[in-house]
Amino acid sequence: DKQYWLKAGLLFQLLYNYWVKIGDIIAIYFTPLIPIKQITFGYVIDKIPNQILNSTYNKDVIREKTVVYLNDIYEVSHYKWLKEFKANEFNALNEKRVQIVHYTNIESEYFQQYAKYNTNADELTRLQKEKEGLVDLFLNEYANCLKGFEEMLSLIDLLP
């Protein structure tokens, strides 16, 4: 169990770091006005429309040469996927990561729960299923990483 929990905690951190890097790349192309210290995946995704609409780019050149018209970023499927992912899976992943990194590591959290409910068979079963469910969660997040990378590249490809 010790190795399982160690790897689970690391995976939460690694997945978050992956999305930070995706945010870094998106920021280069879509939100160049954001200070480097503020760049995170979630912040960049939220700021893309505002940065594009209020950017210092020559808007006439962009309108002529790009598939993404400034007022239509909300309708671009690649942006919509990233925005939806950020609002759901990413936020849930980050909430868990914050708990693990800044407060209680995942092994301690589960150990406390197991100790608290050591005489409650239903709770112990729930905790065991939750523990085993982390494998599926990580596999799903891996698939999201691949899909998110494709969506990021496709979004960037729409630029002039």
Side-chain angles (χ1 to χ4, degrees):
D1 272 358
K2 184 120 182 115
Q3 285 298 310
Y4 182 87
W5 292 121
L6 175 67
K7 302 288 189 304
L10 288 172
L11 281 171
F12 277 107
Q13 293 176 57
L14 290 170
L15 288 165
Y16 175 80
N17 289 341
Y18 174 86
W19 288 104
V20 167
K21 297 303 177 198
I22 294 291
D24 290 345
I25 295 168
I26 293 171
I28 291 168
Y29 292 95
F30 288 96
T31 58
L33 303 177
I34 294 177
I36 290 174
K37 290 183 179 181
Q38 293 180 359
I39 293 175
T40 63
F41 174 74
Y43 190 75
V44 167
I45 292 300
D46 289 341
K47 295 297 179 191
I48 286 177
N50 187 47
Q51 286 266 310
I52 289 176
L53 294 173
N54 298 310
S55 71
T56 58
Y57 299 126
N58 181 332
K59 292 179 176 88
D60 293 328
V61 172
I62 288 177
R63 280 193 188 101
E64 290 173 13
K65 296 184 177 180
T66 188
V67 178
V68 181
Y69 292 97
L70 299 178
N71 294 325
D72 296 331
I73 189 71
Y74 292 114
E75 300 306 316
V76 174
S77 64
H78 313 298
Y79 173 75
K80 288 166 82 172
W81 188 93
L82 291 165
K83 181 80 170 169
E84 175 89 11
F85 171 77
K86 180 253 172 196
N88 296 302
E89 289 96 339
F90 177 78
N91 281 347
L93 175 78
N94 193 36
E95 283 178 23
K96 190 71 171 170
R97 180 203 66 88
V98 166
Q99 184 66 33
I100 292 167
V101 171
H102 298 289
Y103 299 103
T104 307
N105 73 42
I106 195 167
E107 180 182 11
S108 297
E109 178 185 330
Y110 276 89
F111 180 77
Q112 289 171 359
Q113 293 296 311
Y114 279 111
K116 181 178 179 180
Y117 297 112
N118 70 345
T119 59
N120 185 330
D122 291 338
E123 278 299 310
L124 290 174
T125 301
R126 182 191 64 77
L127 286 168
Q128 186 63 25
K129 284 182 182 179
E130 192 174 298
K131 173 187 163 189
E132 292 168 2
L134 288 175
V135 173
D136 290 333
L137 177 119
F138 292 134
L139 289 172
N140 184 55
E141 290 306 320
Y142 176 72
N144 283 334
C145 287
L146 296 175
K147 177 71 172 163
F149 187 77
E150 292 172 355
E151 296 294 344
M152 175 201 66
L153 290 177
S154 296
L155 187 62
I156 291 168
D157 278 347
L158 297 174
L159 292 172

